[in-house]
């Protein structure tokens, strides 16, 4: 009856205590209920199974520091090698003279039990030591037996928990590794110019081609109307529609040429530079009435240049100036005097065209990328990123060159130089 | 009843030229007045400065991608003034893209380019 009561009290440990805490509490209770001074729970060292390392040591009124000892010559060796509970009622220090610790501590009685897993594998031992002889052998045996069983279960649980933790950690590490790999691959993909360029190229070309094609389709519709009308009476309209179709087709062709980097200027009509520039100025005024546009020319009489190519170049540059000004206007709530200036200077061998604006300007990195195809700082649908790329290629076709000087918030200066092949007298 | 007014907003001058040719006879016969604007801001300005007050007999066709003020934002502002205005947007980009944009903000009919002149004619003449 006493045994049941003691065991009941031993295991009445709050369920919040698990693992190491549980073992400590159990050792303390064993000491109190059996009336023994020392209770030790230890496990073989992972390096040498003959060395026992203590996990918990209860020393009468406090927990002692953990320690190590060799099994040789100790009563514990019998516990471990015979895999059974060993009890020495009295005189244990004398029975094991080589176990110096027993003598030093004045130990009289000893109780030891192997701690086993459910599979019967010894994973440690539970030891009670006292300075007095053992009073109730039966009780000690029963307590050691049940407690060692309980400890075995606790150690197994701890081991499983540890395994789960390390497995979890392993999984986390693997996941992190994979994530890093994936991110690397992703960055590679995003950074791959080919991937970006192909889709942007397709969108850009489709968008640029759609407008002239739409006009052609609409023109043909009108043409059909005109042809079905009272037998071609309306000659003027007919000429106009045909003119529009011709113009848009030419536009499409130039666009394709610039994309294919094959700018042919040989068969393009050349016109006086002054006239081309005035037309551009007028067009700009109509499109951007709130922006002042100055035109200054010097020594350009008789200079002939391919009209469509030059117009295309200048339209792109001027449109950028207007966009840059409008961006600054939006930025500064209109507190500025927007102005764009075109200066054309004729020399003996070349023509220099300089376009300046007092718009928002651009950063160094934008300036460096300005001729890259599809590079744009404008919002979607506002810029294809092909404008300055085309300008560069069109000027290449004329053996010309271009230079852009700009700083953020400090306007922009575009200098174009075109070699002069002929000058009409 | 006031005269029918058809407004076209597009930054492409050739489109205006073609529209004028298409409806030359109707315009000459006084069936409606055709007004051209070259961007959203110009058009919106004419609604704000009192040029266009009565919209009962008005039809407005507008391109979407234009400098300064695009067709969608222009329409938003004009419709806030005149919710009953007969307004059509014309898009050169994909239908889905603009339908999506329009769904949230505007209750207008969309046309895809190339503009179907017969359809435009039908809308104008049936007004």
């Amino acid at each position: 009856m006493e045994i049941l009561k003691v065991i009941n009290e031993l295991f009445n440990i709050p369920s919040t205590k698990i693992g190491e805490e549980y073992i400590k509490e159990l050792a303390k209770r064993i000491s109190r209920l059996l009336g023994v001074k020392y209770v030790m729970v230890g496990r073989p060292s992972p390096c040498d199974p003959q060395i026992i390392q203590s996990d918990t040591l209860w020393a009468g009124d406090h927990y002692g520091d953990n320690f190590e000892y060799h099994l040789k010559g100790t009563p514990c060796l019998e516990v471990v090698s015979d895999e059974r509970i060993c009890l020495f009622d009295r005189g244990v220090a004398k029975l094991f003279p080589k176990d110096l610790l027993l003598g030093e501590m004045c130990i009289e009685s000893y109780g030891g039990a192997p701690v086993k897993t459910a599979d019967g594998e010894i994973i440690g031992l539970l030891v009670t030591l006292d300075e007095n002889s053992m009073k109730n052998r039966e009780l000690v045996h029963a307590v050691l037996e049940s407690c060692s069983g309980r400890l075995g279960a606790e150690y197994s649980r701890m081991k499983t928990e540890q395994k789960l933790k390390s497995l979890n950690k392993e999984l986390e590490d693997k996941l992190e590794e994979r994530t890093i790999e994936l991110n690397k691959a992703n960055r590679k993909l995003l950074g791959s110019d080919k991937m970006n360029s192909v889709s942007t190229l397709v969108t850009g070309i489709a968008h640029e081609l759609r407008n002239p094609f739409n006009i052609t389709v609409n023109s043909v519709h009108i043409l059909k109307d005109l042809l079905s009308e009272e037998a071609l009476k309306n000659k003027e309209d007919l000429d106009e529609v045909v003119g529009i179709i011709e113009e848009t087709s030419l536009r499409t062709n130039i666009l394709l040429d610039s994309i294919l980097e094959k700018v042919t200027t040989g068969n393009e009509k050349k016109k006086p530079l002054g006239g081309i520039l005035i037309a551009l100025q007028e067009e700009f005024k109509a499109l951007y009435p709130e922006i002042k546009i100055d035109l200054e020319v010097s020594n350009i009489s008789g200079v002939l240049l391919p009209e469509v190519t030059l117009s295309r170049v200048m339209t792109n540059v001027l449109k950028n100036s207007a966009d840059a000004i409008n961006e600054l206007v939006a930025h500064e709530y209109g507190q500025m005097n927007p102005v764009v200036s075109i200066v054309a200077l004729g020399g003996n061998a070349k023509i220099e065209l300089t376009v300046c604006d007092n718009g928002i300007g651009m950063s160094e990195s934008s300036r460096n990328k300005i001729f890259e195809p599809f590079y744009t700082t404008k919002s979607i649908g506002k810029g294809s990123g092909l404008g300055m790329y085309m300008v560069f290629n069109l000027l290449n076709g004329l053996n010309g060159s271009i230079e852009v000087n700009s700083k953020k918030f400090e306007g922009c200066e575009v200098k174009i130089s075109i070699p002069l092949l002929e000058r009409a007298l | 009843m006031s005269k029918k007014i058809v407004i076209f907003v597009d930054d492409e001058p050739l489109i205006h030229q073609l529209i004028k040719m298409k409806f030359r006879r109707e315009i000459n016969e006084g069936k409606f007045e055709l007004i051209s604007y070259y961007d959203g801001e110009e058009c919106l300005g004419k609604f704000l400065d009192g040029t266009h007050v009565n919209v009962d007999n008005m039809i407005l066709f507008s391109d979407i991608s234009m400098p300064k003020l695009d067709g969608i934002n222009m329409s938003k502002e004009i419709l806030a003034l005149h919710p009953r205005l007969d307004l059509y947007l014309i898009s050169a980009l994909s239908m889905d893209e603009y339908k999506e944009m329009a769904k949230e903000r505007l209750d207008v009919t969309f046309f895809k380019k190339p503009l179907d002149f017969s359809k435009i004619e039908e809308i104008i003449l049936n007004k």
Side-chain angles (χ1 to χ4, degrees):
Chain A
M1 207 48 215
E2 198 198 346
I3 296 177
L4 271 179
K5 237 171 120 185
V6 168
I7 289 178
N8 197 33
E9 206 167 320
L10 271 176
F11 294 134
N12 192 21
I13 293 173
S15 58
T16 49
K17 294 200 173 182
I18 54 165
E20 221 173 290
E21 256 188 276
Y22 176 89
I23 294 168
K24 279 191 154 173
E25 180 63 27
L26 188 66
K28 190 174 157 186
R29 287 187 184 208
I30 292 170
S31 160
R32 179 166 56 85
L33 290 162
L34 286 183
V36 293
K37 191 170 179 185
Y38 304 100
V39 177
M40 192 276 293
V41 182
R43 282 184 287 176
S45 154
C47 317
D48 182 357
Q50 292 294 300
I51 290 172
I52 300 294
Q53 295 173 330
S54 74
D55 272 349
T56 293
L57 174 68
W58 175 256
D61 51 4
H62 68 281
Y63 290 104
D65 293 337
N66 281 319
F67 65 103
E68 276 184 16
Y69 65 96
H70 203 281
L71 278 175
K72 204 175 160 191
T74 70
C76 293
L77 182 62
E78 286 185 22
V79 175
V80 174
S81 52
D82 294 358
E83 297 186 22
R84 61 177 179 89
I85 293 173
C86 295
L87 300 178
F88 299 97
D89 300 31
R90 59 174 62 85
V92 70
K94 276 175 202 157
L95 278 169
F96 295 91
K98 283 183 183 167
D99 190 339
L100 298 174
L101 221 57
L102 291 178
E104 268 173 39
M105 289 159 77
C106 308
I107 298 302
E108 187 63 22
S109 64
Y110 171 99
V115 174
K116 297 179 186 176
T117 62
D119 310 328
E121 185 200 347
I122 294 188
I123 51 166
L125 74 169
L126 167 65
V127 173
T128 64
L129 303 162
D130 195 51
E131 291 157 351
N132 301 309
S133 57
M134 201 178 288
K135 282 157 213 126
N136 192 341
R137 199 183 156 89
E138 202 187 344
L139 181 66
V140 174
H141 194 279
V143 165
L144 286 179
E145 187 165 38
S146 52
C147 286
S148 62
R150 181 64 184 80
L151 282 171
E154 192 63 24
Y155 274 124
S156 297
R157 203 193 57 72
M158 284 163 75
K159 205 172 161 185
T160 312
E161 200 180 81
Q162 192 56 43
K163 226 183 201 167
L164 265 174
K165 266 186 193 164
S166 67
L167 219 64
N168 243 339
K169 177 86 175 61
E170 209 175 297
L171 271 174
E172 270 172 26
D173 288 353
K174 259 189 193 161
L175 200 69
E176 199 178 339
E177 206 176 292
R178 282 284 165 85
T179 310
I180 291 169
E181 268 173 38
L182 215 65
N183 281 342
K184 253 189 215 165
N186 239 341
R187 271 200 296 277
K188 224 175 184 179
L189 213 61
L190 286 174
S192 130
D193 289 341
K194 259 186 199 161
M195 289 289 294
N196 276 339
S197 297
V198 169
S199 71
T200 329
L201 177 69
V202 172
T203 319
I205 293 175
H207 187 70
E208 285 283 322
L209 287 180
R210 194 169 247 162
N211 268 330
F213 270 121
N214 287 335
I215 293 167
T216 309
V217 169
N218 287 150
S219 302
V220 169
H221 174 99
I222 305 267
L223 199 57
K224 275 183 180 166
D225 276 3
L226 289 170
L227 290 173
S228 65
E229 262 173 33
E230 310 136 45
L232 308 178
K233 267 185 192 166
N234 206 335
K235 177 91 168 50
E236 257 174 50
D237 275 3
L238 261 183
D239 284 347
E240 198 178 334
V241 177
V242 171
I244 290 174
I245 294 174
E246 195 179 10
E247 189 184 332
T248 50
S249 304
L250 190 62
R251 255 202 239 172
T252 313
N253 237 339
I254 287 170
L255 176 80
L256 288 174
D257 279 348
S258 62
I259 289 167
L260 297 171
E261 299 181 40
K262 282 187 215 154
V263 184
T264 48
T265 49
N267 49 6
E268 201 184 311
K269 224 194 247 172
K270 287 185 177 175
K271 283 196 175 171
L273 176 60
I276 298 173
L277 292 178
I278 287 167
L280 283 164
Q281 188 189 20
E282 287 309 310
E283 196 185 322
F284 190 91
K285 273 185 195 163
L287 279 173
Y288 309 102
E290 72 286 356
I291 301 174
K292 191 169 173 263
I293 177 157
D294 294 332
L295 173 61
E296 199 188 312
V297 296
S298 169
N299 190 26
I300 62 158
S301 65
V303 171
L304 299 176
L305 285 171
E307 185 195 18
V308 179
T309 303
L310 188 67
S311 295
R312 183 105 200 162
V313 167
M314 292 300 283
T315 302
N316 270 301
V317 173
L318 290 170
K319 190 179 181 304
N320 281 345
S321 284
D323 287 348
I325 283 171
N326 283 329
E327 212 185 317
L328 190 62
V329 168
H331 213 265
E332 297 190 341
Y333 310 101
Q335 299 295 314
M336 63 178 286
N337 298 308
V339 61
V340 175
S341 68
I342 307 172
V343 175
L345 189 65
N348 283 336
K350 64 178 180 181
I351 286 289
E352 270 186 7
L353 290 163
T354 308
V355 177
C356 288
D357 68 63
N358 57 353
I360 197 154
M362 72 192 85
S363 65
E364 171 93 26
S365 69
S366 288
R367 203 206 61 79
N368 289 338
K369 288 183 187 165
I370 193 166
F371 301 117
E372 275 181 22
F374 315 117
Y375 176 77
T376 182
T377 55
K378 296 174 192 173
S379 52
I380 295 166
K382 303 239 161 139
S384 62
L386 286 170
M388 290 306 283
Y389 168 74
M390 282 182 203
V391 164
F392 187 83
N393 283 313
L394 288 166
L395 286 171
N396 251 350
L398 297 175
N399 293 317
S401 63
I402 181 167
E403 188 187 317
V404 177
N405 299 310
S406 178
K407 273 185 185 163
K408 194 84 185 168
F409 299 113
E410 287 179 24
C412 182
E413 179 196 67
V414 178
K415 274 187 171 176
I416 292 167
S417 174
I418 302 167
L420 202 52
L421 298 177
E422 55 180 319
R423 199 188 266 249
L425 292 169
Chain B
M1 198 165 166
S2 59
K3 197 175 177 183
K4 208 187 280 183
I5 292 175
V6 176
I7 297 175
F8 251 93
V9 193
D10 200 311
D11 59 334
E12 173 56 68
L14 294 180
I15 282 287
H16 290 291
Q17 217 176 320
L18 287 169
I19 293 282
K20 257 175 220 153
M21 287 171 79
K22 169 75 188 169
F23 297 109
R24 178 163 292 157
R25 189 167 38 185
E26 287 82 356
I27 294 165
N28 287 342
E29 286 169 1
K31 281 186 178 160
F32 63 87
E33 187 187 346
L34 180 69
I35 300 172
S36 303
Y37 295 126
Y38 292 84
D39 65 68
E41 204 172 272
E42 184 188 7
C43 178
L44 176 62
K46 297 294 181 186
F47 278 87
L48 293 175
D49 70 8
T51 307
H52 302 306
V53 182
N54 185 0
V55 300
D56 289 345
N57 281 311
M58 184 181 286
I59 307 169
L60 193 151
F61 296 96
S62 175
D63 188 21
I64 287 178
S65 178
M66 293 184 291
K68 289 193 258 193
L69 183 63
D70 66 68
I72 290 199
N73 284 309
M74 179 201 77
S75 304
K76 234 171 105 180
E77 305 243 355
I78 295 178
L79 285 175
L81 295 169
H82 304 289
R84 288 186 307 124
L85 173 64
D86 222 354
L87 196 148
Y88 301 87
L89 286 178
I90 304 149
S91 155
L93 292 178
S94 84
M95 217 43 187
D96 293 339
E97 211 173 315
Y98 279 112
K99 259 187 185 162
E100 198 56 46
M101 280 171 71
K103 223 190 283 167
E104 306 169 50
R105 314 189 216 172
L106 296 172
D107 182 26
V108 297
T109 310
F110 275 77
F111 286 136
K112 198 178 160 153
K113 283 184 181 178
L115 205 48
D116 185 344
F117 276 2
S118 320
K119 212 168 183 178
I120 298 267
E121 186 174 13
E122 201 185 302
I123 291 170
I124 294 175
L125 298 182
N126 287 339
K127 174 84 182 179

